[in-house]
Amino acid sequence: MPQNRYRKSHKKPTLIAMDFESILVPEIWISIAKKTRIPELRLTTRDVPDYDQLMKKRLKILAKNNLSLKNIQSIIAEMEPIAGAKEFLDWARMNFETIIVSDTFYEFARPLIQKLNHPTLLCHLLETNNKNQIIDYHLRESGKKENAVKAFKNLGFRVIAIDDSYNDTDMLKTADIGILFNASSNVVSQFPQFSSCHSYDKLKTFIQKV
Amino acid sequence: MPQNRYRKSHKKPTLIAMDFESILVPEIWISIAKKTRIPELRLTTRDVPDYDQLMKKRLKILAKNNLSLKNIQSIIAEMEPIAGAKEFLDWARMNFETIIVSDTFYEFARPLIQKLNHPTLLCHLLETNNKNQIIDYHLRESGKKENAVKAFKNLGFRVIAIDDSYNDTDMLKTADIGILFNASSNVVSQFPQFSSCHSYDKLKTFIQKV
């Protein structure tokens, strides 16, 4: 078989890289803010643009309120995936390699990941002291979501990325195909190059089409 | 906190990258050879060192014997993971990110991956014609197992790699920690730098230690 024809027909497996919060589960810090009734924990990078400042602020608030990692984990354990998320994810994993790329922490995500039947998750780590207080956080080096997409492209996958927010449009741009899911109308109108939808059924249809 | 101290204490999440055949499931081509009673399908790269020649030979044998992809898939669907493999993998996925890196094909692996509760699998693709005959195969670009290990290291993981064969020792060398599992005594004695074991219980103990 001539080299050319082979190259031309070279097929790639598809990998779906999707965000976690707002895509499969509710926003974790907002759920913690609600349950603890500490409105300051609702702050996001929209309010405090420097992520390190924001995280240090959050950890101070937890310490001030004597909330240990275990306390937070038991709040998160009561959270549920978004209705239909597990069925959508099961379908995606049955048909494609599907991984979750998130800026949450393994220690927070674990109970939700269990409810979703253990998909692969790339995220970050927390550090606790001997009183189980969260004293620091460790972002993965190259933790930016678009780096995960690049890595899987380099490993020979065609990557479909799914995300919701302005911050993550670099991940969508880096992927072979980017889809906005549950994004605000503001983000949708700023990025007309990406398909956008708000239901798992439509998301399935988009994925099947491409 | 001074930059230095932070760097020093930087924690990385652990990711386990393990091979599929001989580690979690029996060798697929050998199982096909047994079921079809076609001993030529037992040939491996030990017999035909050029992988492309070997694969073309295998596809010719399947064609000559009128074996379609569906026929092969129904043979594979009768295979079972190695005893204890699912329990080991469940444990690994509960405690670490765990992915499978294999030189098999998605079309072959699917029924076994289902029995193992859908872990993430990086492998290759087959191509069929309209008669469901396998006419070609497509290796992922950068499909070498050590490239997957490199990619996850670059994404900020500490990688533990588990494999069985001489061919895959580059993957073990590239990882932060390499473990030989179910390897021949020949390979074990040639690579004394890697821990080696033949039971999932010992494998668990090794992983917990490192």
Side-chain angles (χ1 to χ4, degrees), chain A:
Chain A
M1 193 184 289
Q3 188 69 13
N4 264 355
R5 189 192 160 305
Y6 185 75
R7 281 278 145 207
K8 219 172 155 186
S9 74
H10 193 85
K11 295 201 305 178
K12 289 179 177 190
T14 295
L15 181 139
I16 301 177
M18 63 172 86
D19 198 354
F20 192 44
E21 296 174 78
S22 290
I23 307 293
L24 297 169
V25 302
E27 291 289 335
I28 293 176
W29 282 108
I30 289 177
S31 303
I32 297 170
K34 277 186 202 164
K35 283 274 183 178
T36 57
R37 296 185 189 180
I38 304 172
E40 268 183 298
L41 288 177
R42 283 177 170 270
L43 294 177
T44 70
T45 44
R46 256 167 271 166
D47 314 293
V48 184
D50 182 304
Y51 183 76
D52 186 55
Q53 269 184 32
L54 174 64
M55 274 302 296
K56 291 207 165 115
K57 202 174 167 74
R58 285 167 170 169
L59 299 188
K60 259 186 208 160
I61 297 167
L62 297 184
K64 205 179 69 185
N65 288 275
N66 276 320
L67 289 163
S68 68
L69 175 58
K70 274 183 194 154
N71 296 144
I72 301 298
Q73 283 172 327
S74 60
I75 289 170
I76 295 170
E78 285 171 27
M79 289 175 63
E80 291 296 332
I82 296 171
K86 179 163 183 306
E87 294 70 23
F88 167 74
L89 187 61
D90 285 347
W91 170 84
R93 292 168 74 189
M94 183 76 82
N95 290 283
F96 312 94
E97 294 315 295
T98 304
I99 58 150
I100 300 172
V101 186
S102 167
D103 281 330
T104 191
F105 302 96
Y106 284 111
E107 293 83 353
F108 282 3
R110 202 162 292 141
L112 290 164
I113 284 292
Q114 279 178 30
K115 290 180 189 184
L116 290 167
N117 199 16
H118 284 279
T120 297
L121 169 69
L122 313 187
C123 70
H124 309 296
L125 283 176
L126 293 172
E127 184 175 341
T128 50
N129 63 12
N130 56 9
K131 289 177 192 155
N132 198 245
Q133 288 169 318
I134 307 169
I135 52 165
D136 206 352
Y137 68 98
H138 299 275
L139 301 184
R140 282 184 298 110
E141 288 155 40
S142 307
K144 284 187 176 172
K145 292 177 190 171
E146 58 268 30
N147 289 343
V149 170
K150 264 182 219 159
F152 286 108
K153 282 178 85 171
N154 287 339
L155 289 174
F157 288 93
R158 186 182 72 129
V159 178
I160 301 177
I162 304 170
D163 218 315
D164 69 312
S165 80
Y166 186 88
N167 285 338
D168 298 319
T169 46
D170 278 349
M171 172 172 158
L172 302 190
K173 284 178 198 160
T174 307
D176 294 287
I177 294 137
I179 303 176
L180 284 166
F181 184 70
N182 285 346
S184 66
S185 55
N186 193 15
V187 174
V188 172
S189 62
Q190 258 190 83
F191 295 93
Q193 69 265 49
F194 304 129
S195 298
S196 158
C197 64
H198 291 78
S199 83
Y200 294 118
D201 279 346
K202 283 208 178 143
L203 190 51
K204 264 193 194 179
T205 311
F206 282 162
I207 294 170
Q208 281 167 326
K209 258 195 229 164
V210 298

Side-chain angles (χ1 to χ4, degrees), chain B residues 11 67 72 120 153:
Chain B
K11 293 202 305 176
L67 289 164
I72 302 298
T120 297
K153 281 177 85 170

